[in-house]
Amino acid sequence: MTIQVILTFGLALIILYGFVQRDISKIVSRLIIATGSAGVYLVWLPDQTTVLARMMGVTRGADLLFYCWILISMFLIINLHAKSRMNLRLITELTRQAALTNPKIPPNPTVDKSGNSS
Amino acid sequence: MNAKDVWIVITAFNEAPVIAGVLADVLKRRPHVVVVDDGSKDGSGEIALTAGASVLRHPVNLGAGAAQQTGIDYALSRGAKIIVTFDADGQHMASDIDALVADLQKAGTDFALGNRFKGHVENMPLMRRIVLKMAVLFTVFSTGLKMTDAHNGLRAMTAEAARKIRFRQNRMAHGSEIIEQIAKLKLSYVETPVTVRYTDYSLKKGQSSLNAINILFELISERILK
């Protein structure tokens, strides 16, 4: 009973986080809410995991949860990778603008009027 | 077209031991050289400035692709009509710049791509040769372009072509990316025989052959997540 309360509290926080994310990405928000809600359902009705597992061709409910966990982890890794790339692009653009707005020109250019170096 | 219209873009990250010598050779032939100091901590940028090049400094190290895009943007803003990219580690010969520019103008193409296998290679390790040949196979397979040296940093492009391409790969994968963009945008190119000289310094400083795996990963993830 104690672990069910702790897990429910944790999953409730995840669902709340999902609601907060709805302005940023509706798809991600719905996925988080659906995953959290399914988690609460299975915490309180653990036998249902076996029923669901058999419906999906998996023998044990624990195996089904493990497979789902792998899928969710992969989704999170790809999502984090995409965010990291987006941040890197912003940093690149900022760095580039900083460089372009402050070029250093050589003090004694070795270029004559015709454009040839001396 | 006179010498003023040609800009040389050199990217440098901790190249203090060789950058002055490289610039001395290049500046003898072309007056407009911009060095993009990609967050060096060994004073490469200051040495380049003293040598007579314009210098742009990235406050942090982003990688050769990002630095090259910065240099190209700067050259375009200064009215360049032809832009030549050139390595800072002493592998390239300044005399090849003239050949690239001449080929570009003569052929009337968007790019003149340096080709070491049609030209001359000095001291290339066997593993590097194998990796480069595999990269060529990958490029031919993925783009359909027929070329025999897909990853040579020595290349010339017209200003129009430079405006069309945009590096999204910050690091070494930009070498493949530029070929992909040439294919995608249907830009024309000619291959120019050039010399690439591998030295102890350039081999020590350059990327490991195993980095090809990272480049492949970057290219694949770029296609999936773009």
Side-chain angles (χ1 to χ4, degrees):
Chain A
M1 184 69 176
T2 308
I3 189 65
Q4 285 172 314
V5 172
I6 292 169
L7 286 172
T8 303
F9 180 70
L11 288 164
L13 286 177
I14 289 171
I15 293 168
L16 190 66
Y17 176 74
F19 274 112
V20 174
Q21 293 295 305
R22 70 184 185 282
D23 290 338
I24 299 166
S25 167
K26 282 201 168 89
I27 294 172
V28 173
S29 166
R30 284 172 189 164
L31 271 173
I32 293 171
I33 293 167
T35 307
S37 304
V40 173
Y41 176 75
L42 294 175
V43 161
W44 290 98
L45 298 165
D47 292 343
Q48 292 295 306
T49 56
T50 306
V51 176
L52 280 171
R54 285 184 181 151
M55 278 169 62
M56 299 177 80
V58 183
T59 313
R60 296 189 309 168
D63 290 339
L64 177 67
L65 284 181
F66 180 65
Y67 299 148
C68 288
W69 178 74
I70 289 173
L71 274 178
I72 291 167
S73 299
M74 283 173 67
F75 170 76
L76 288 175
I77 288 168
I78 292 168
N79 194 33
L80 282 172
H81 184 66
K83 278 188 180 174
S84 163
R85 288 169 65 88
M86 197 175 69
N87 287 334
L88 183 61
R89 278 191 190 141
L90 288 173
I91 291 167
T92 300
E93 227 21 74
L94 277 171
T95 303
R96 182 166 293 139
Q97 288 310 315
L100 287 169
T101 51
N102 189 28
K104 291 186 174 64
I105 311 296
N108 299 308
T110 54
V111 184
D112 63 25
K113 285 178 185 172
S114 65
N116 295 318
S117 57
S118 57
Chain B
M1 186 176 296
N2 63 35
K4 280 181 178 177
D5 298 323
V6 180
W7 275 79
I8 315 300
V9 172
I10 300 177
T11 64
F13 175 59
N14 292 340
E15 302 282 8
V18 295
I19 189 84
V22 169
L23 285 170
D25 283 346
V26 175
L27 283 162
K28 270 181 207 163
R29 294 172 178 275
R30 299 287 167 178
H32 291 314
V33 180
V34 57
V35 171
V36 183
D37 175 6
D38 192 24
S40 298
K41 298 198 185 306
D42 65 351
S44 295
E46 288 74 14
I47 294 170
L49 191 65
T50 307
S54 300
V55 175
L56 302 171
R57 179 168 167 78
H58 282 175
V60 292
N61 177 248
L62 292 175
Q68 211 163 86
Q69 186 65 60
T70 302
I72 289 170
D73 287 352
Y74 180 73
L76 287 173
S77 75
R78 298 300 303 270
K81 290 196 170 69
I82 289 177
I83 297 168
V84 179
T85 59
F86 194 93
D87 283 2
D89 60 6
Q91 282 192 348
H92 295 157
M93 310 292 286
S95 54
D96 284 331
I97 293 171
D98 296 340
L100 282 164
V101 172
D103 266 10
L104 189 72
Q105 290 179 304
K106 190 178 165 191
T109 52
D110 297 306
F111 280 86
L113 305 171
N115 189 317
R116 78 197 92 183
F117 298 116
K118 286 185 176 174
H120 183 61
V121 187
E122 291 176 21
N123 304 323
M124 179 190 271
L126 180 65
M127 183 53 78
R128 183 64 57 94
R129 185 179 289 271
I130 292 168
V131 169
L132 285 170
K133 289 291 182 186
M134 284 170 66
V136 169
L137 283 176
F138 174 79
T139 305
V140 170
F141 176 74
S142 63
T143 64
L145 296 181
K146 287 177 184 164
M147 51 179 57
T148 50
D149 187 4
H151 291 79
N152 195 329
L154 184 54
R155 50 179 94 89
M157 65 194 89
T158 62
E160 291 75 23
R163 283 190 192 93
K164 287 177 188 166
I165 59 158
R166 194 83 197 160
F167 293 132
R168 291 164 70 89
Q169 296 288 347
N170 277 5
R171 300 204 174 268
M172 294 314 290
H174 76 282
S176 300
E177 192 181 23
I178 196 167
I179 304 299
E180 284 185 1
Q181 293 197 24
I182 286 172
K184 191 177 170 188
L185 298 167
K186 294 186 173 25
L187 299 172
S188 56
Y189 65 91
V190 61
E191 290 188 293
T192 302
V194 297
T195 296
V196 173
R197 185 180 46 195
Y198 290 87
T199 61
D200 289 342
Y201 174 82
S202 72
L203 287 170
K204 192 178 167 191
K205 185 77 183 20
Q207 56 179 327
S208 151
S209 296
L210 286 172
N211 201 34
I213 297 165
N214 283 332
I215 291 174
L216 196 60
F217 178 75
E218 281 181 26
L219 290 171
I220 291 168
S221 61
E222 174 66 30
R223 285 186 184 185
I224 295 169
L225 298 172
K226 66 182 173 185

